[in-house]
Amino acid sequence: MKRWKRCLILLLCLLLTGCSRNMPNQREAESALEKASGLEETAVLMTVDGRDVPAWRYLYWLVWTCDQLQQRHAESGTALDWDAPVSGGTLAQYAREQALADTALYAVVENLAQETGYVPAREQGADAALPELGFSPEQLEELEAVGRMYGWLYEQYCEGKGPLVPTEEELRDYEAAGAFVTLDRILIPAGEDREAARQRAAECFSRLNSADDQAAVFSALAAEGGDRQGPRTLRRDAGELPSELLAAVWDLQPGQCSGILETQEGFSILRRMETKPDALRESYFDDSLLSLAETAEITAAPAYETLDPAAFYRAWTQEQSSP
């Protein structure tokens, strides 16, 4: 579930740069949406920290979440069962809650940007950049405007401005609570000849052990290897490396190197490094926004409680496929 939550920030950062696409006109989109949901799309479906949210904005994220679930099941060759149990309830309940989390995040970004003095830029992109879900260009532009607010807030944050900027003590507390680790990695991909890769890993390990400046030799070997990302700071539960590699680096002290670690990908040697406060600032910003969204005061209209995500999504897909 946590991986899904962290994807919300990627929606704000990454999906808001795209290409133009053909959209149905607003009248058709409104008609289809209202038929599928039984809701007036401009009616207030909920308030988030006092901000009114129209039904269509929640329904956008509900369609997006359902589309992702449908795609994942299609790729795995399994049938989508909305009654299937997942942590905290059924798959349909998960879709409802995930869409609510997305909706709350966008509302929180809007509130925070306006409270901080955001002024919209005069020149704005005219092309739709969010996923094509059958919503109108005007609706997509409204969502994209929130993405620009997010970008502005992050720029302010990087300049040391705004309410989310942490003190050094807050960053230290955040590091301790979040279980972060900073590492560099030498990777020798297995490729088609695993034994040759194993021998190459042994040669690298030997060079490290005999080096006068082990840190410099490690950096050089890492730059030559298959993992060219360089040193990075990861959260222990981020899932960005195989679990056995993260477990191994946690057993090291800063400055220490691991032995040769074999995974399906190949052979790795890890070096743990000191985590610098600046490496946590971007993650701190994202987590601060997520925390604000998770703790936002949300008041939902009765229509939200009676909306059936599975029935809505089936009706919505039928409307979209109708000539």
Side-chain angles (χ1 to χ4, degrees), residues 52-249:
D52 290 342
V53 178
W56 72 264
R57 289 184 67 158
Y58 172 77
L59 295 173
Y60 178 91
W61 293 115
L62 185 57
V63 171
W64 189 88
T65 300
C66 292
D67 273 355
Q68 296 301 301
L69 292 171
Q70 178 67 61
Q71 181 179 344
R72 286 168 180 259
H73 280 75
E75 290 174 351
S76 64
T78 58
L80 180 59
D81 179 5
W82 292 106
D83 295 321
V86 296
S87 177
T90 64
L91 196 61
Q93 290 171 328
Y94 166 75
R96 173 196 295 275
E97 293 169 3
Q98 187 61 49
L100 181 62
D102 286 357
T103 304
L105 179 62
Y106 267 58
V108 162
V109 168
E110 287 180 286
N111 282 341
L112 190 61
Q114 292 178 1
E115 292 167 4
T116 311
Y118 173 77
V119 177
R122 289 186 178 182
E123 295 184 5
Q124 297 179 355
D127 292 340
L130 285 163
E132 182 178 346
L133 301 178
F135 287 69
S136 73
E138 292 81 5
Q139 290 168 337
L140 294 178
E141 168 58 30
E142 186 173 318
L143 292 176
E144 289 173 8
V146 184
R148 291 190 286 273
M149 293 179 190
Y150 169 87
W152 180 84
L153 283 170
Y154 187 65
E155 288 176 1
Q156 295 290 302
Y157 173 83
C158 292
E159 295 173 3
K161 304 174 184 177
L164 301 184
V165 177
T167 64
E168 292 301 319
E169 182 179 358
E170 287 172 330
L171 274 181
R172 286 194 295 271
D173 292 343
Y174 175 70
E175 178 185 0
F180 290 90
V181 64
T182 300
L183 60 89
D184 201 359
R185 179 191 187 193
I186 299 169
L187 170 63
I188 296 88
E192 297 181 357
D193 190 340
R194 180 169 285 270
E195 285 307 311
R198 190 190 308 275
Q199 182 176 352
R200 170 62 179 156
E203 293 171 356
C204 290
F205 191 69
S206 177
R207 283 182 60 186
L208 281 174
N209 286 335
S210 60
D212 293 331
D213 188 345
Q214 190 177 69
V217 172
F218 191 101
S219 297
L221 291 172
E224 296 171 4
D227 182 350
R228 299 175 183 269
Q229 296 184 54
R232 62 248 195 222
T233 299
L234 305 177
R235 192 192 302 266
R236 188 168 190 171
D237 59 2
E240 297 180 44
L241 282 179
S243 58
E244 56 265 46
L245 296 186
L246 280 176
V249 79

Side-chain angles (χ1 to χ4, degrees), residues 215-294:
V217 172
F218 191 101
S219 297
L221 291 172
E224 296 171 4
D227 182 350
R228 299 175 183 269
Q229 296 184 54
R232 62 248 195 222
T233 299
L234 305 177
R235 192 192 302 266
R236 188 168 190 171
D237 59 2
E240 297 180 44
L241 282 179
S243 58
E244 56 265 46
L245 296 186
L246 280 176
V249 79
W250 274 97
D251 289 336
L252 302 174
Q253 295 297 317
Q256 286 186 326
C257 296
S258 72
I260 299 173
L261 306 169
E262 182 175 0
T263 62
Q264 183 176 3
E265 185 179 13
F267 301 88
S268 298
I269 304 171
L270 306 176
R271 178 171 178 258
R272 185 166 181 174
M273 306 170 71
E274 292 281 358
T275 297
K276 299 180 180 179
D278 283 349
L280 304 176
R281 291 187 184 276
E282 181 177 354
S283 181
Y284 183 91
F285 176 80
D286 288 351
D287 280 348
S288 294
L289 281 179
L290 289 172
S291 178
L292 288 174
E294 290 169 0

